[in-house]
Amino acid sequence: MWPIVTQLLLYIFFCWAEEGKRYGPVFEEQPIDTIHPEESSDGKVSMNCRARANPTPTYKWRQNNWELDLLNPRYSMIGGNLVINNPEKSKDTGKYVCIVTNEYGTVRSNEASLNFGYLDPFPAEERPEVKVKEGTGVMLICDPPPHFPDDLNYRWIINEFPNFIAMNKQKFVAQTNGNLYIAKVEQSDRGNYSCFVSSPSITKSVFSRYTSLLPQPETAKRYAADIQVAFTDTYALKEQNVTLECFALGNPVPVIRWRKLNEPMPPSAEINQAGTVLKIFNIQPEDEGTYECEAENIKGKDLHRAYVYVQAQPEWVEHINDTERDIGSDLHWPCIAKGKPIPTIRWLKNGESYAKGELKIRGLTMAHAGMYQCIAENHYGVIQANAELKILALAPTFELNPMRKKILAAKGGRVIIECKPKAAPKPKFSWSKGTELLINNTRVSIWDDGSLEIVNVTILDEGSYTCFAENDRGKANSTGTLSVTAATKITLAPSNADVTVGENASMQCHASHDPSLDLTFIWSLNGFVIEFDDDSGHYERHFRNDIGSELIIRNVQLKHAGRYICTAQTIVDNSSASADLVVRGPPGPPGGVRTEEVRDTSVQLIWSSGTDNHQPISKYIIQARNPLSEEWKDVKTEIPNIEGNMESARVVDLIPWMEYEFRVIATNTLGIGEPSIPSSRIRTEGAAPNVAPADVGGGGGSNRELTVTWVPLAREYHYGDNFGYIVAFKPFTENEWRKVTVTNPESGRYVHKDDTITPATQFQVKVKAFNKVGDGPFSSTAIIYSADEAPTESPTGMKVLGIPTSTEVTISWQPVIGQTILGYQIRYWRSQDKQTAAHRLQLESLDTVVKIEGLLPNTIYHSDVCAYNSAGDGPRSHSFNFHTSKAPPSQKPQIISAVKSGSQYIITWQHVTPLSNESAVDGYKVLYRPNGEHNGRVLSTAKHSIELPAPKEGEYIVEVRAVSKGGDGAVAFIKLSSDTAGILPSILGILLPTFVLVYLEF
């Protein structure tokens, strides 16, 4: 019970203390920028404002610097919150400020805007259809309707809601203007497109009238990448997320690559799967720079660059707090903010403009008391700090801070007796010992703050001391007694020690002291007190009869070397002695690693030796890393062994045109030291490639084409900028090699188009790499063949095998003879559809039979077939028709009994009557399988019953379904078990008609 009572009393006390403390207004909530939807059904807008103060404050509001008449019924106040009833755009749009006042002063809130959001419908006019050739790019314009604010999200619908277009490498929706870009139009892009616009601020969406996109059949022509969506110079706020968009038209669809010029990408950068959007999360000042988007296909590349500036809202470095100052004193109130651009500083006093920049006031008076606001602002934001300035004026008093009644001082030492009364303005001080007035001399000093200092204390200094304080408002005094104790002295100082890493070390320290006082020992290393309770476990401390302390250091490490100080301490004085611990171990890290004389495969490395940790350095190890591997690896040097007295070496066998960092590690007889800080990153000079591409081959492709392929060289073999490939080829019948240049360093393919190339012609080909320095060696010559001609014959004899079901049909045809083909392509479409809507089925084999699935029941289809090879499609066969069956019966057979007769079960069901749009029932299929398994025996019957063997053990499942030309109908099932007596209907006899069983493997 008592703990509860105690907590209650404490709560009452704190409430009373808070109630008793009087202070000016301090904001707890300020109004924020608000957007009210014009179409909102809520007839109110609230601008919030809350402040704590004692006594309770009053609130006022200003709109566009005009004070609001809060008696107007359009406004109401809830606490400090302003509620606008039935808001109107013409009257209520503007800037709002909350002003809070009590007897200690006035504060003014941040300025907050109230705007009205809207998103108008799209115009009702039809949008014109867009015709575009297959293989070319297109842009569909969104043209969003009038709106506010400008924070729209864009998506596109195709044909019907909510069939949204998924963005990929081919399609892109720009969030800057809402336009839809298709890099390469195909027949599958045919459809009706609508721009879907959403405003998250007012939670409203609208969509445009449909635009019909009509791809026009034409042989697709390849064209170079052309960037259509490009980010501009961007200003971003620190710690915001930044989105950069880049999309290009082109055939083939271009590949998008991102990079930051001359710097690595920010670690928080992410590129979407299609490569069209770069997002930088939580952007920082170091992420500022030029960003580059490159779009490339085999026909060419396009490049775009823009700068990302990282700005910052104001942020406090130092701001004002509630302050008390003596009347007549000076005030310098620091208020410092950082940001980009650098914020300006202005001041308000009691809600009114007061000053700019640094605030300094000399000779404070009571008129300076009040509420002050320091406001820091730049283009990106405003912050404010509020504080109350109180001016104190009172006579000296020791009630809150009397002098200590008993003061101790050590003989021969120094003592300071504090005198700190509360007074304003600052009082004048004087001291007396007993009845003797003290004056400054060689041993006694009276400080400006009133403290009394006595040095070289003797026993004669014992006695009663009184401090007198006086200002223009009155005077006061306070008295304490000084007692002198024996001095503390070190009697056994710690001794220097010399150890090797891993050994133990110990130090002793003894002292004498006044017997009336407690003595403690404190150990420190290089000025920092040793923590004996940490987790390292290296330090131990042992006490010796209250007069000494022993420090033990176990498993000494290099970090334990230095000066150890033992301090013997009482509450009155202390005495110290020191000793040095030398720790011998592996060398420290070398310093100042830098590079000179950078060449293509070598670099001169220079460093300065680090600490040898009291053991001479025997040799150095040099390591390097590059972007191909983050792992540090030993490198070769011109002189294999780098002796300990050397501070430079030439690193050799480096990769040309490669970025490197280097570090140096020193060793001695006690081990390997810590590595140096890495050198600045350098790039070796370029050199001509010396490696030829591998696996040169090719062949195939479209008619009149020669396709050459190879394995691209890894980055480490590029050896320079402007890297690419030279492809050489010639027919066997010619002597001159034709050469072409491929500028994409990642490419491993070149397609040469030439109408003079005859099909299946034998060519010699070879490939070599090049860069801006020179060419590398050619690869071995390979033999390839130009592309075949597309087939010139069409398949014949198309026919249907068997009877089509409701969803499947099997068709066959006569093969194309005497031509090179890779397979066949089958088209099929409903009779009411156009051929352009046909489904295509690619058969990548020479089979001449195919099953078409997923058809619609009771539907007439047209179909044709063509042969194809790497050069393209051949002519199509004559189309022929087939008619799918009606759908199978949808009704399940109703099982009405399962009767056990001896070792058999007789299962009976009702006949299934198909609907008018369903196929007639030809019979029934029964699957008899163990429970939990999918396989079993399949039996067929034309009757409505079947006889099955009773299970010998466990459960069996009997599945019954109707069979029709359209396929199998819905399934009914029943479970049978070895101990089931049978299921008898009320009107069914024991004997059933005889029937025939047909056993099939399922």
Side-chain angles (χ1 to χ4, degrees):
M1 183 65 184
W2 281 110
I4 297 175
V5 173
T6 302
Q7 291 181 0
L8 181 60
L9 291 173
L10 286 172
Y11 175 76
I12 293 172
F13 170 77
F14 286 125
C15 289
W16 171 82
E18 184 68 19
E19 181 69 24
K21 181 182 177 183
R22 299 170 71 82
Y23 54 93
V26 177
F27 279 115
E28 292 185 325
E29 183 180 14
Q30 299 190 52
I32 59 174
D33 291 344
T34 301
I35 295 176
H36 181 71
E38 287 187 7
E39 300 175 7
S40 173
S41 59
D42 186 0
K44 295 181 179 180
V45 174
S46 180
M47 306 292 283
N48 293 349
C49 180
R50 186 174 75 254
R52 68 176 189 273
N54 190 5
T56 303
T58 59
Y59 295 86
K60 292 191 297 186
W61 283 86
R62 286 179 174 267
Q63 178 195 8
N64 300 328
N65 287 327
W66 289 90
E67 187 170 331
L68 292 178
D69 179 8
L70 298 179
L71 298 178
N72 188 323
R74 294 188 66 249
Y75 305 114
S76 55
M77 292 280 288
I78 302 175
N81 299 343
L82 173 67
V83 178
I84 305 173
N85 302 304
N86 300 318
E88 299 178 25
K89 182 177 181 179
S90 59
K91 294 180 180 179
D92 299 316
T93 300
K95 301 285 188 179
Y96 288 78
V97 173
C98 172
I99 300 171
V100 189
T101 304
N102 74 356
E103 66 182 56
Y104 290 99
T106 299
V107 290
R108 181 186 180 101
S109 74
N110 289 329
E111 197 173 60
S113 64
L114 172 60
N115 288 292
F116 289 74
Y118 63 93
L119 175 60
D120 289 348
F122 275 94
E125 292 83 6
E126 291 287 341
R127 293 194 167 201
E129 63 183 21
V130 176
K131 295 182 179 180
V132 60
K133 296 177 182 178
E134 277 189 79
T136 60
V138 71
M139 175 185 71
L140 301 183
I141 296 175
C142 178
D143 190 17
H147 57 273
F148 181 86
D150 193 17
D151 61 347
L152 301 182
N153 294 328
Y154 299 93
R155 300 173 74 185
W156 280 75
I157 301 167
I158 180 168
N159 294 332
E160 60 182 359
F161 183 87
N163 189 15
F164 288 104
I165 290 176
M167 287 197 291
N168 51 36
K169 292 182 179 179
Q170 185 194 2
K171 296 183 178 70
F172 184 76
V173 178
Q175 294 303 311
T176 52
N177 55 24
N179 294 344
L180 169 64
Y181 297 82
I182 304 178
K184 184 185 75 169
V185 174
E186 300 172 344
Q187 279 296 332
S188 59
D189 297 321
R190 176 183 296 270
N192 298 316
Y193 291 78
S194 171
C195 182
F196 186 83
V197 181
S198 301
S199 173
S201 297
I202 62 172
T203 60
K204 182 181 178 181
S205 301
V206 295
F207 53 87
S208 70
R209 298 297 295 266
Y210 281 98
T211 299
S212 295
L213 178 62
L214 304 175
Q216 305 299 298
E218 183 169 308
T219 302
K221 294 182 180 179
R222 299 186 177 186
Y223 64 98
D226 181 15
I227 292 177
Q228 293 291 308
V229 179
F231 59 100
T232 58
D233 285 351
T234 302
Y235 288 82
L237 283 180
K238 175 188 170 187
E239 298 178 356
Q240 276 190 342
N241 299 334
V242 176
T243 299
L244 306 180
E245 296 181 331
C246 182
F247 187 75
L249 309 183
N251 184 8
V253 175
V255 175
I256 307 292
R257 300 183 188 88
W258 293 86
R259 63 180 65 90
K260 185 181 181 188
L261 211 61
N262 302 322
E263 294 181 77
M265 273 286 198
S268 65
E270 289 186 7
I271 300 171
N272 71 342
Q273 190 172 4
T276 53
V277 177
L278 169 67
K279 285 191 175 182
I280 307 172
F281 296 92
N282 190 31
I283 195 166
Q284 299 298 313
E286 58 268 22
D287 299 333
E288 184 172 282
T290 300
Y291 287 79
E292 179 180 276
C293 156
E294 180 185 78
E296 182 178 21
N297 61 14
I298 60 174
K299 297 297 291 181
K301 67 173 75 172
D302 195 4
L303 194 68
H304 173 74
R305 292 174 181 169
Y307 202 88
V308 175
Y309 299 87
V310 180
Q311 308 289 77
Q313 294 176 323
E315 183 179 342
W316 289 122
V317 175
E318 186 176 4
H319 62 76
I320 58 175
N321 293 294
D322 290 347
T323 301
E324 293 182 351
R325 286 287 189 272
D326 293 348
I327 191 169
S329 63
D330 298 335
L331 173 67
H332 174 212
W333 230 348
C335 192
I336 305 169
K338 62 181 180 180
K340 188 176 180 182
I342 296 173
T344 58
I345 302 292
R346 60 187 176 91
W347 295 81
L348 303 179
K349 180 189 174 188
N350 292 329
E352 302 294 335
S353 295
Y354 186 71
K356 292 183 179 180
E358 192 176 38
L359 182 62
K360 290 184 178 180
I361 304 175
R362 298 188 179 278
L364 289 168
T365 67
M366 298 303 292
H368 289 115
M371 298 301 299
Y372 288 78
Q373 293 174 272
C374 172
I375 301 172
E377 56 191 334
N378 65 12
H379 181 70
Y380 298 100
V382 180
I383 55 175
Q384 64 172 253
N386 304 347
E388 181 180 356
L389 176 62
K390 290 184 177 179
I391 307 300
L392 301 179
L394 70 158
T397 175
F398 286 94
E399 290 182 4
L400 299 177
N401 194 21
M403 281 179 55
R404 287 163 48 196
K405 295 303 178 185
K406 185 176 182 180
I407 303 119
L408 298 178
K411 184 179 179 182
R414 167 176 173 264
V415 65
I416 296 174
I417 307 174
E418 291 185 341
C419 178
K420 293 187 176 180
K422 191 169 182 66
K426 181 181 176 181
K428 295 180 179 179
F429 297 96
S430 59
W431 283 83
S432 68
K433 179 187 176 188
T435 58
E436 177 189 358
L437 185 64
L438 299 178
I439 59 174
N440 290 334
N441 56 44
T442 55
R443 286 201 321 114
V444 177
S445 300
I446 301 175
W447 291 4
D448 287 343
D449 68 355
S451 300
L452 176 67
E453 178 186 28
I454 305 174
V455 298
N456 297 325
V457 173
T458 69
I459 198 70
L460 297 176
D461 292 322
E462 288 188 327
S464 175
Y465 289 81
T466 302
C467 173
F468 299 91
E470 181 178 2
N471 66 10
D472 60 2
R473 295 178 179 265
K475 54 187 175 181
N477 62 76
S478 185
T479 302
T481 302
L482 175 65
S483 298
V484 179
T485 64
T488 303
K489 294 181 180 179
I490 298 292
T491 57
L492 176 62
S495 301
N496 296 337
D498 189 324
V499 296
T500 300
V501 168
E503 295 179 346
N504 297 337
S506 66
M507 293 182 180
Q508 301 268 351
C509 183
H510 292 185
S512 63
H513 67 293
D514 191 298
S516 66
L517 303 175
D518 292 330
L519 178 69
T520 59
F521 288 90
I522 298 172
W523 289 90
S524 62
L525 169 60
N526 297 329
F528 294 95
V529 174
I530 295 172
E531 299 290 342
F532 288 92
D533 296 329
D534 66 9
D535 296 333
S536 64
H538 289 286
Y539 291 109
E540 294 180 10
R541 176 174 51 181
H542 300 286
F543 295 103
R544 305 295 183 193
N545 300 324
D546 294 334
I547 62 167
S549 176
E550 180 183 16
L551 173 65
I552 298 175
I553 312 164
R554 300 195 182 278
N555 186 22
V556 171
Q557 302 298 309
L558 291 171
K559 64 182 180 180
H560 298 134
R563 174 153 294 182
Y564 286 80
I565 298 177
C566 167
T567 300
Q569 179 173 290
T570 68
I571 60 172
V572 177
D573 68 339
N574 62 70
S575 181
S576 299
S578 65
D580 292 324
L581 176 64
V582 173
V583 180
R584 301 180 186 275
V593 180
R594 68 184 193 276
T595 55
E596 293 182 354
E597 300 178 29
V598 179
R599 295 176 185 155
D600 55 354
T601 60
S602 66
V603 63
Q604 186 73 19
L605 203 64
I606 300 170
W607 65 89
S608 58
S609 60
T611 174
D612 62 6
N613 290 324
H614 311 288
Q615 194 73 10
I617 296 172
S618 55
K619 69 173 184 177
Y620 289 100
I621 300 169
I622 299 177
Q623 296 182 328
R625 67 179 177 186
N626 58 43
L628 302 179
S629 172
E630 288 299 311
E631 181 182 351
W632 289 96
K633 297 179 181 178
D634 294 352
V635 293
K636 287 186 180 180
T637 53
E638 204 168 49
I639 301 173
N641 294 318
I642 312 300
E643 302 294 338
N645 59 354
M646 298 176 64
E647 293 189 346
S648 68
R650 186 153 203 90
V651 180
V652 297
D653 290 352
L654 300 176
I655 299 173
W657 197 247
M658 181 63 68
E659 291 182 341
Y660 281 99
E661 293 176 286
F662 300 92
R663 71 180 187 183
V664 182
I665 303 172
T667 67
N668 62 18
T669 57
L670 297 178
I672 299 175
E674 292 292 319
S676 68
I677 296 174
S679 69
S680 298
R681 185 174 296 180
I682 60 97
R683 186 192 290 272
T684 52
E685 292 183 350
N690 61 11
V691 177
D695 293 339
V696 175
S702 300
N703 192 22
R704 309 296 178 179
E705 287 184 352
L706 179 68
T707 302
V708 184
T709 61
W710 62 93
V711 176
L713 291 181
R715 165 65 184 86
E716 58 194 284
Y717 299 115
H718 287 192
Y719 288 6
D721 203 4
N722 297 334
F723 179 85
Y725 299 96
I726 295 174
V727 181
F729 56 93
K730 71 181 186 67
F732 264 81
T733 57
E734 297 181 9
N735 295 324
E736 289 291 325
W737 289 88
R738 281 184 273 181
K739 297 178 182 178
V740 293
T741 299
V742 178
T743 59
N744 181 3
E746 297 177 8
S747 177
R749 178 183 176 90
Y750 169 72
V751 179
H752 181 71
K753 293 179 177 293
D754 190 342
D755 291 339
T756 64
I757 296 178
T758 55
T761 301
Q762 193 179 53
F763 277 81
Q764 292 177 293
V765 296
K766 56 186 179 180
V767 182
K768 67 179 178 181
F770 74 90
N771 60 26
K772 69 178 181 181
V773 179
D775 296 352
F778 268 115
S779 66
S780 300
T781 301
I783 307 300
I784 64 172
Y785 291 85
S786 60
D788 282 326
E789 283 187 310
T792 57
E793 298 292 331
S794 60
T796 60
M798 289 190 72
K799 63 181 179 180
V800 173
L801 300 182
I803 299 175
T805 70
S806 61
T807 60
E808 296 178 356
V809 66
T810 300
I811 63 174
S812 69
W813 58 89
Q814 296 299 317
V816 174
I817 306 299
Q819 301 197 7
T820 303
I821 64 171
L822 297 178
Y824 295 92
Q825 185 192 83
I826 299 89
R827 292 194 310 180
Y828 57 96
W829 63 97
R830 297 184 305 172
S831 59
Q832 63 265 41
D833 293 340
K834 296 180 180 179
Q835 284 190 15
T836 53
H839 298 275
R840 287 173 168 81
L841 185 61
Q842 196 90 347
L843 198 61
E844 296 179 356
S845 71
L846 300 182
D847 293 342
T848 58
V849 177
V850 69
K851 179 188 285 187
I852 301 175
E853 300 175 328
L855 303 174
L856 298 176
N858 196 25
T859 302
I860 297 175
Y861 280 89
H862 302 300
S863 181
D864 61 21
V865 64
C866 71
Y868 73 89
N869 60 19
S870 60
D873 297 342
R876 296 198 167 272
S877 68
H878 294 297
S879 64
F880 80 106
N881 304 339
F882 60 86
H883 193 170
T884 55
S885 302
K886 292 182 179 180
S890 57
Q891 180 184 354
K892 299 178 183 178
Q894 184 177 352
I895 299 174
I896 55 179
S897 74
V899 180
K900 187 173 185 183
S901 177
S903 62
Q904 301 290 318
Y905 267 103
I906 300 172
I907 313 298
T908 308
W909 58 88
Q910 287 185 348
H911 178 63
V912 173
T913 302
L915 302 177
S916 60
N917 62 344
E918 295 177 346
S919 297
V921 175
D922 296 330
Y924 298 91
K925 185 186 294 182
V926 179
L927 171 63
Y928 186 50
R929 60 180 174 83
N931 192 9
E933 297 183 14
H934 296 291
N935 295 330
R937 288 190 297 169
V938 177
L939 305 96
S940 295
T941 178
K943 306 294 184 180
H944 303 159
S945 61
I946 197 165
E947 186 174 332
L948 299 172
K952 293 181 180 179
E953 59 181 16
E955 285 187 333
Y956 273 67
I957 303 294
V958 179
E959 296 181 2
V960 183
R961 69 194 81 195
V963 178
S964 70
K965 291 180 181 179
D968 294 345
V971 177
F973 70 91
I974 188 172
K975 289 184 180 179
L976 303 180
S977 64
S978 57
D979 57 356
T980 303
I983 305 170
L984 294 176
S986 60
I987 59 172
L988 190 64
I990 298 297
L991 298 178
L992 296 171
T994 305
F995 53 84
V996 178
L997 296 180
V998 180
Y999 288 84
L1000 302 172
E1001 288 299 323
F1002 183 70

